[in-house]
Amino acid sequence: MKRVFSGVQPTGNIHIGNYLGALRQFVELQEDNQCIYCIVDLHSITVPQDPKELRKHILDVAALYLAIGIDPKKSIIFVQSDVSGHAELSWILTCNSYTGELSRMTQFKDKSRGKESAPAGLFTYPILMAADILLYDTDIVPVGSDQKQHIELCRDIAIRINNTIKKDTFVVPDGRFLKEGARIMALDEPTAKMSKSAENIHSRVSLLDEDNKIKKSIMRATTDSDGEIRFDPAGKPGVSNLLNIYSAFSGKSVEDIVAAFAGKGYGDFKKELVVLTQEAMAPIKKNFEEIRETEELKDILRDGAERASAIAEKTMKRVKNNFGLGF
Ligand code: AMP
Ligand code: TRP
């Protein structure tokens, strides 16, 4: 069995981009692999968080993991800061990473915007992500395509240490990106990716949105004035993004969807997309409401942390030994 690891930040507003790019892969992969799904709270504090809100968002993501169909009997679900190995391994990797390669990360460049006061954690964020992955001898990392550069860096660090310290210190992982859904764009501004933090709530559909909100956001999504439903991401980014979402939710190819809507207008197409999206979100919302306030949720996280720790401790022993750390 292959080992799968991925993580989501507990920052609220988990949206259909997160779902179509990453989360739905989590469910599919748990049938044939040993999967570990983390709530990466240490990553979220790279920007200031209100402690009460953070705690709430951690439990929200845990409940969402279960609501979309992750089975805690098959997969491990846990909170990053409950396993000390993440921070510990992160330091060892930090000493084997170059400031040059970190400076090239586009996420850091976007978020820091060259400010002197950008938190150092924002700069070293991809190293913590590499630690998450390498701590579990991960083979496969299901993520959206915005994480491609971070996965490459993780591979580079693992290969570097295997070459300089000791062969087989780390398993070198592969990213897993979907064809449809790997990059869902903002509904109001389809040249930017859909994000949790954008101010305009209609830029995204969140997984817990009411039907009415889903309808509003999709019906007012930015398109263009030529009126033809055609897939052309450069020339028609809005329509192409909606086609991508339609394809990911329906399982139909973009070509088939374009053929089915030949001669029809954007209004008809959007209306169908609204229904498709509402139907996909309905069971998730229902499951979420049932799970969120249960004590069982916390038991699952405690049990997950124990199972994750057992794996992490073995890796840390091997890594420290290879580096000559401890005694
Ligand atoms: P984050 O919210 O940054 O923790 O992201 C959680 C997961 O969702 C990661 O695997 C991201 O690559 C993925 N993701 C985030 N935004 C998008 C998007 N707009 N389209 C597709 N995948 C995304
Ligand atoms: N950096 C990822 C994001 O923002 C979240 C993340 C943290 C992650 N650690 C990870 C994803 C390990 C995959 C594997 O989306």
Side-chain angles (χ1 to χ4, degrees):
M1 271 227 240
K2 296 230 164 163
R3 176 81 49 78
V4 171
F5 183 98
S6 195
V8 172
Q9 296 190 56
T11 39
N13 296 331
I14 308 269
H15 51 67
I16 57 171
N18 299 125
Y19 180 70
L20 296 175
L23 289 165
R24 75 186 161 128
Q25 299 195 60
F26 295 8
V27 183
E28 177 198 323
L29 283 164
Q30 68 180 345
E31 298 312 321
D32 304 310
N33 303 280
Q34 197 203 352
C35 298
I36 306 179
Y37 298 124
C38 188
I39 300 156
V40 290
D41 55 348
L42 294 172
H43 277 97
S44 65
I45 60 166
T46 48
V47 295
Q49 300 288 338
D50 175 74
K52 275 210 191 87
E53 283 289 299
L54 180 56
R55 179 61 46 78
K56 175 181 168 294
H57 288 149
I58 288 173
L59 293 173
D60 284 349
V61 175
L64 265 179
Y65 273 171
L66 298 172
I68 60 166
I70 296 173
D71 177 354
K73 290 197 191 74
K74 287 189 193 140
S75 306
I76 297 177
I77 300 178
F78 77 106
V79 181
Q80 187 184 32
S81 64
D82 284 341
V83 177
S84 58
H86 294 256
E88 195 179 2
L89 181 57
S90 185
W91 175 252
I92 297 175
L93 302 185
T94 299
C95 297
N96 288 274
S97 305
Y98 303 138
T99 52
E101 59 192 354
L102 293 173
S103 310
R104 285 193 290 276
M105 296 292 122
T106 51
Q107 185 171 307
F108 170 69
K109 286 194 268 188
D110 288 349
K111 291 201 174 170
S112 64
R113 294 204 201 96
K115 282 190 300 217
E116 281 272 312
S117 62
L122 216 48
F123 188 59
T124 56
Y125 173 114
I127 303 178
L128 179 59
M129 176 164 163
D132 298 341
I133 297 167
L134 301 180
L135 189 57
Y136 297 95
D137 291 336
T138 303
D139 301 293
I140 304 166
V141 188
V143 278
S145 62
D146 61 328
Q147 297 301 315
K148 225 172 221 167
Q149 209 185 14
H150 292 161
I151 304 282
E152 268 316 302
L153 179 73
C154 173
R155 289 171 53 87
D156 289 346
I157 297 171
I159 292 168
R160 180 177 306 147
I161 292 173
N162 285 348
N163 287 338
T164 53
I165 299 295
K166 190 162 187 229
K167 184 163 97 36
D168 299 332
T169 299
F170 292 119
V171 171
V172 181
D174 283 305
R176 185 178 191 267
F177 311 94
L178 293 173
K179 203 166 142 267
E180 272 92 23
R183 189 172 172 81
I184 300 296
M185 310 308 280
L187 298 174
D188 59 336
E189 198 190 330
T191 46
K193 77 170 178 179
M194 185 176 285
S195 94
K196 292 166 170 175
S197 55
E199 227 166 87
N200 180 4
I201 58 166
H202 294 296
S203 66
R204 62 183 163 259
V205 169
S206 298
L207 295 194
L208 301 175
D209 276 353
E210 298 294 332
D211 280 354
N212 223 351
K213 155 72 176 60
I214 296 175
K215 186 174 170 191
K216 266 196 192 145
S217 302
I218 293 178
M219 293 311 290
R220 55 171 82 171
T222 303
T223 49
D224 52 56
S225 56
D226 97 347
E228 197 190 336
I229 299 171
R230 193 160 38 84
F231 190 72
D232 171 9
K236 295 167 69 69
V239 173
S240 304
N241 187 39
L242 297 180
L243 278 167
N244 235 333
I245 297 172
Y246 196 115
S247 168
F249 275 133
S250 65
K252 292 182 187 154
S253 71
V254 167
E255 269 167 40
D256 285 352
I257 301 163
V258 169
F261 283 97
K264 295 203 180 141
Y266 293 160
D268 293 331
F269 172 58
K270 281 180 167 178
K271 270 186 209 148
E272 282 206 27
L273 182 58
V274 168
V275 175
L276 206 54
T277 309
Q278 288 171 337
E279 281 174 357
M281 296 301 106
I284 297 177
K285 277 188 282 189
K286 185 169 166 283
N287 294 341
F288 180 88
E289 297 307 332
E290 283 172 14
I291 297 158
R292 177 60 176 84
E293 297 308 328
T294 61
E295 268 309 303
E296 197 198 342
L297 184 61
K298 291 177 187 160
D299 291 340
I300 288 170
L301 292 177
R302 265 181 229 117
D303 174 62
E306 260 176 45
R307 287 155 70 199
S309 289
I311 304 171
E313 274 167 28
K314 268 198 204 149
T315 312
M316 281 316 295
K317 219 180 204 163
R318 181 184 76 224
V319 172
K320 284 168 82 173
N321 191 41
N322 288 359
F323 271 87
L325 290 161
F327 84 178

